[in-house]
Structure formats: C-alpha cells, structure tokens
Amino acid sequence: MASEGANALLSRASRIRAKLQALEASTLIVEDVSHQHAGHAAVKDGAEETHFNVKIVSEKFSGQSLVKRHQMVYGLLNDELQSGLHALSIVAKTPLEALEK
C-alpha cells in the first residue's frame, strides 16, 4: 500500500479511481468538474480538485437501494471528503440497469 506521502502526489481523481476499485466496477468514470465551480463560496483559497462526477457500474450494487449505493461510495471516499472534496455527484448502477439506460 502506498504511503500517505506518496498518496499526496497522486491527483484526487487518481485516488478516487483507486479507492473505488474496491467496487469491482465494470465501468468507472471519474470527472473533475471543479473548474465549473471556480469562485464558488465553498471553494476557498483557490482550492482545486473539489468537485467530481462519478459513474460506477458494479454488480456489488445489486439488491442495494440508491441510498445504500451512495453510502458505499461515500464510505470508500471518506478521507477525500474530509480533506477537501467538496461535492460528489454519483451515478451508481448495476450492469443490468446500465443496459436499460
């Protein structure tokens, strides 16, 4: 496992991708949309990598409510949420749901 110092060198998007691998996703898209929120009141001192969209398709979501799916994602990203990740938009689907679009 990477040390905390080495982990700090990775972009937040890379860390999010790595942490969400625990969901064994067939699709994992992480999009940094922080630039859309520049000047936003909650973005202080020129902070970067604060707003992300994630789309995750995982069999691990089968039988789980939408709330539970989001809790699973938030649980994996808790340390990011505690260290500057301000907003996270989540689309969490099972493979069957992803096919239905």
Side-chain angles (χ1 to χ4, degrees):
M1 189 138 120
S3 72
E4 192 172 315
N7 202 23
L9 297 176
L10 297 174
S11 70
R12 188 179 307 272
S14 295
R15 293 192 310 267
I16 288 171
R17 273 188 209 93
K19 291 169 183 175
L20 293 179
Q21 289 301 319
L23 295 172
E24 300 172 7
S26 58
T27 299
L28 176 57
I29 299 170
V30 178
E31 180 184 18
D32 183 350
V33 294
S34 302
H35 64 281
Q36 296 173 354
H37 301 275
H40 184 272
V43 179
K44 296 180 172 92
D45 301 322
E48 297 179 356
E49 297 186 308
T50 56
H51 292 69
F52 285 83
N53 295 337
V54 295
K55 178 180 179 183
I56 309 162
V57 177
S58 173
E59 189 61 46
K60 290 192 173 194
F61 294 142
S62 294
Q64 303 296 330
S65 70
L66 183 59
V67 170
K68 179 60 178 169
R69 295 172 190 192
H70 283 224
Q71 289 172 337
M72 292 166 72
V73 172
Y74 287 131
L76 290 168
L77 300 180
N78 186 54
D79 55 338
E80 297 297 334
L81 290 160
Q82 299 300 316
S83 66
L85 177 57
H86 174 72
L88 184 64
S89 172
I90 302 168
V91 175
K93 296 184 177 187
T94 66
L96 183 59
E97 291 167 343
L99 289 174
E100 293 171 355
K101 294 191 181 192

